[in-house]
Amino acid sequence: MVHDTPSTPDFFARHRELLDRAVAGTANREYWSPYPESPSNSVYGGEAPKQGETTLREQLGKAFVLEGHPHSGTVNPGEVSPYGLALDVDYPRLTPDEAIAATTAGIGPWRAAGPDTRAGVAAEILARINAASFEIAHAVQHTTGQAFVMAFQAGGPHAQERGLEAVAYAWAEQKRHPAAARWSKPQRKGEPLALDKKFTPVGRGPALLIACNTFPTWNGYPGLFASLVTGNPVIVKPHPGAVLPLAISVRIAREVLTEAGFDPNLVLLVAEGPEDRIASVLAVRPEVRIIDFTGSTEFGDWLEDNARQAVVYTEKAGLNTVVLDSTDDYQGLLRNLAFSLSLYSGQMCTTPQNLLIPRDGFTTDQGVRSAAEFAGDLGGALDKLLGDPARAAATLGVIVNEGVHERLAQAAKVGRTVRRSTSIEDPDHPEAAVRTPLVALLDAEADDQTYTREWFGPVSFVIGTDSTAHSLRIFRDTVREHGALTAAVHSTSEDVLAEAELAALEAGVHLSENLTGGVFVNQSAAFSDFHGSAANPAASATLSDPAFVTGRFATLQSRRPARRPEVGDV
């Protein structure tokens, strides 16, 4: 229930300028960054870094406090920091029945509040999440294995921007139609037929957010805020290995909802133990009408096939591909690719896996380089980038789970290993499992069973093809069948670039061309770059576009005969 008191803050008025600017950003697609990405004292204040770390560490080894959160006991998911820090946090345990009952109780007042109020509340939540960026960054670092700067940027401001982007789309789409209108149809005789009509955006119903281990906030915030702003309560179900970043986010959301006069149970945390399967139970409950999921293709496909009562937004896995035809900046290409393969040890859904190159070679400003020579040069660029252990650790982060180690071991047995994966000791975290990328040389015809499966982690293949035309055909066919979240091409020929663009359109994947500088294929900017596409099997949604929000609500109307003015009406 809304507690409408004079002290209730007007968050919409507070953030109206930000919201208008965010909507403009979704339209013009230019650079805009509302949340500073630098973990600098000059930006966030001299005490923020230390305070954030202290606040995070004070929450370890005890029950996580969520004021007023319903529960029937506690659950410890067994979070273990890849850096060796003991987490040992207990969270409220909720059954599916308890979660659904609690989160649906406040739907009516939240719906009645309207898009403006809901967008204002969401913007305030994001403002306070931004203020807690250092706390969240340490939580992201110690649950995902990202190095701290990346954890701060990707888990903090960049994730917040993706959240605000979803707020902007959700707010704008609900405002597309007027709240009220007078309909008047002229008649040949007599007064016109007149109706007064009201149009109300109505949320589809409870949303279930199923988050991933590697990017819990970056991939989680868009669905959370898209559902909330369109009038839906949200059940947040983190990955058991990365609960803490989203628990902090849920805590902040509940605090703001309470201050705004709404039921804090509009946002709930549902944590589970390592052996629990609460996501699959909640996903098919008839009350759950929206699902956001990031994770494995297997479970994503299961959700799409079985959660028929819900609209399902998935980001799964795919075969991210680079087509190499020619370049006038060979060293820049090598440096750019080496960093793309190394960032967070390839544990990104956007990291290139399949590098397609004519086996007889491609033209560069340093002469023709065969597929084997290019693979060796790429290995050398990786060695140079990762030669200093401290710098390497800051780029690679830590291997997040045993599945990545297993794939690395398997990859060492396929094709011809050109650069093996090696261990690096992190000077600050000697217990951490830091591994460099493996590069193997494959043949397009002989090894198709190898490169047509995803090898999530620091594994990439240089694949020799018959020609650039052959590379483009493999690119188009494999992405169309298996999906991809990113693709890239290098060529000095406008004709080849045009063919690559056409292949990407036919495959349904976003394309980057000739990246040799400080922009990398596995990075995307909110308000300008689209992430993911329902046009190929790797995803059923894009972060973010109108389609990401419009399925979360319906615009319902009521109408009545227009009241005729009475004598004396002003």
Side-chain angles (χ1 to χ4, degrees):
M1 177 176 294
V2 179
H3 306 290
D4 190 11
T5 68
S7 62
T8 301
D10 187 345
F11 292 132
F12 179 69
R14 180 181 299 178
H15 298 291
R16 178 63 188 267
E17 183 177 349
L18 175 72
L19 292 167
D20 285 338
R21 180 64 183 83
V23 171
T26 66
N28 63 40
R29 314 308 295 181
E30 298 172 356
Y31 170 78
W32 182 54
S33 181
Y35 305 115
E37 68 177 2
S38 173
S40 168
N41 294 352
S42 63
V43 175
Y44 286 92
E47 297 301 316
K50 184 63 177 178
Q51 182 178 349
E53 182 177 10
T54 299
T55 302
L56 185 281
R57 289 180 177 270
E58 287 175 348
Q59 297 172 97
L60 305 182
K62 61 182 71 171
F64 189 87
V65 177
L66 287 170
E67 292 291 343
H69 196 286
H71 65 93
S72 53
T74 60
V75 58
N76 189 317
E79 291 169 290
V80 176
S81 169
Y83 286 97
L85 179 67
L87 303 184
D88 192 27
V89 182
D90 294 328
Y91 300 96
R93 179 186 288 278
L94 276 178
T95 68
D97 285 341
E98 291 167 337
I100 290 169
T103 202
T104 53
I107 287 180
W110 188 238
R111 176 180 61 239
D116 288 353
T117 296
R118 293 195 294 265
V121 169
E124 178 65 17
I125 294 170
L126 282 164
R128 298 193 193 183
I129 285 176
N130 177 252
S133 289
F134 282 93
E135 177 188 0
I136 292 173
H138 285 286
V140 169
Q141 178 186 20
H142 287 292
T143 54
T144 70
Q146 294 175 28
F148 177 75
V149 172
M150 182 177 183
F152 182 89
Q153 293 179 339
H158 294 173
Q160 295 151 21
E161 288 166 358
R162 282 296 184 190
L164 182 61
E165 182 183 53
V167 171
Y169 275 110
W171 181 53
E173 289 301 319
Q174 290 176 98
K175 303 279 283 184
R176 181 176 295 277
H177 306 295
R182 169 69 59 87
W183 179 87
S184 183
K185 180 179 180 181
Q187 302 296 298
R188 291 182 63 184
K189 295 181 180 180
E191 297 292 323
L193 295 176
L195 295 175
D196 284 332
K197 302 183 180 184
K198 292 193 297 185
F199 305 97
T200 304
V202 177
R204 185 179 176 93
L208 173 63
L209 168 61
I210 306 172
C212 64
N213 193 172
T214 49
F215 288 89
T217 57
W218 197 97
N219 283 111
Y221 285 171
L224 168 63
F225 286 102
S227 288
L228 199 60
V229 175
T230 50
N232 306 287
V234 184
I235 298 170
V236 178
K237 207 299 292 180
H239 187 283
V243 180
L244 192 52
L246 287 174
I248 297 167
S249 306
V250 167
R251 182 194 71 209
I252 293 170
R254 291 173 59 84
E255 290 169 354
V256 174
L257 285 164
T258 300
E259 288 183 31
F262 296 101
D263 188 342
N265 292 334
L266 288 166
V267 178
L268 286 180
L269 180 74
V270 176
E272 64 179 355
E275 304 304 319
D276 294 336
R277 294 294 180 266
I278 195 169
S280 58
V281 175
L282 278 168
V284 295
R285 287 287 297 251
E287 300 91 342
V288 172
R289 304 303 308 283
I290 303 164
I291 297 174
D292 289 278
F293 168 76
T294 304
S296 70
T297 296
E298 181 182 12
F299 191 57
D301 289 345
W302 184 89
L303 288 169
E304 292 169 359
D305 291 340
N306 291 276
R308 297 292 187 176
Q309 85 293 349
V311 57
V312 180
Y313 302 93
T314 61
E315 181 189 304
K316 298 174 287 188
L319 309 178
N320 299 323
T321 302
V322 179
V323 174
L324 297 151
D325 169 73
S326 55
T327 181
D328 57 8
D329 184 6
Y330 188 51
Q331 290 303 314
L333 182 156
L334 290 171
R335 286 192 298 269
N336 188 281
L337 270 179
F339 185 79
S340 296
L341 302 187
S342 301
L343 188 60
Y344 188 30
S345 298
Q347 298 170 119
M348 303 175 68
C349 60
T350 51
T351 300
Q353 173 181 300
N354 295 339
L355 314 181
L356 300 169
I357 174 175
R359 61 176 64 85
D360 292 333
F362 76 127
T363 303
T364 80
D365 56 323
Q366 298 181 13
V368 175
R369 307 299 291 172
S370 70
E373 290 170 331
F374 166 74
D377 292 342
L378 181 59
L382 287 164
D383 290 340
K384 184 175 182 180
L385 173 68
L386 305 173
D388 176 73
R391 178 183 176 187
T395 301
L396 294 166
V398 182
I399 299 300
V400 68
N401 57 44
E402 190 57 35
V404 179
H405 286 290
E406 292 172 358
R407 281 187 291 276
L408 267 173
Q410 295 169 11
K413 301 174 184 178
V414 302
R416 178 166 72 85
T417 298
V418 178
R419 186 191 189 282
R420 66 187 184 91
S421 175
T422 58
S423 297
I424 290 180
E425 182 173 312
D426 183 338
D428 296 324
H429 305 279
E431 309 91 349
V434 183
R435 297 291 297 272
T436 65
L438 177 147
V439 177
L441 185 64
L442 304 181
D443 182 81
E445 301 298 334
D447 299 309
D448 62 311
Q449 295 301 307
T450 297
Y451 66 78
T452 53
R453 55 169 282 204
E454 191 208 17
W455 295 73
F456 183 79
V459 175
S460 292
F461 302 119
V462 175
I463 304 166
T465 68
D466 296 338
S467 62
T468 294
H470 187 205
S471 297
L472 289 171
R473 186 166 66 253
I474 292 172
F475 161 52
R476 181 182 58 248
D477 293 347
T478 56
V479 172
R480 183 183 287 167
E481 181 177 356
H482 302 283
L485 290 163
T486 62
V489 60
H490 286 270
S491 181
T492 58
S493 165
E494 288 298 329
D495 289 341
V496 171
L497 293 176
E499 291 170 5
E501 290 177 3
L502 179 59
L505 293 175
E506 292 175 343
V509 65
H510 308 301
L511 181 68
S512 297
E513 303 174 13
N514 292 333
L515 297 183
T516 58
V519 176
F520 305 94
V521 66
N522 43 350
Q523 297 175 323
S524 67
F527 297 101
S528 186
D529 292 321
F530 292 114
H531 174 76
S533 168
N536 76 68
S540 67
T542 294
L543 303 181
S544 285
D545 64 3
F548 187 65
V549 301
T550 52
R552 300 172 193 264
F553 73 97
T555 301
L556 301 181
Q557 73 171 36
S558 63
R559 58 183 183 173
R560 65 173 63 172
R563 177 177 174 269
R564 293 183 179 182
E566 301 288 344
V567 176
D569 283 354
V570 177

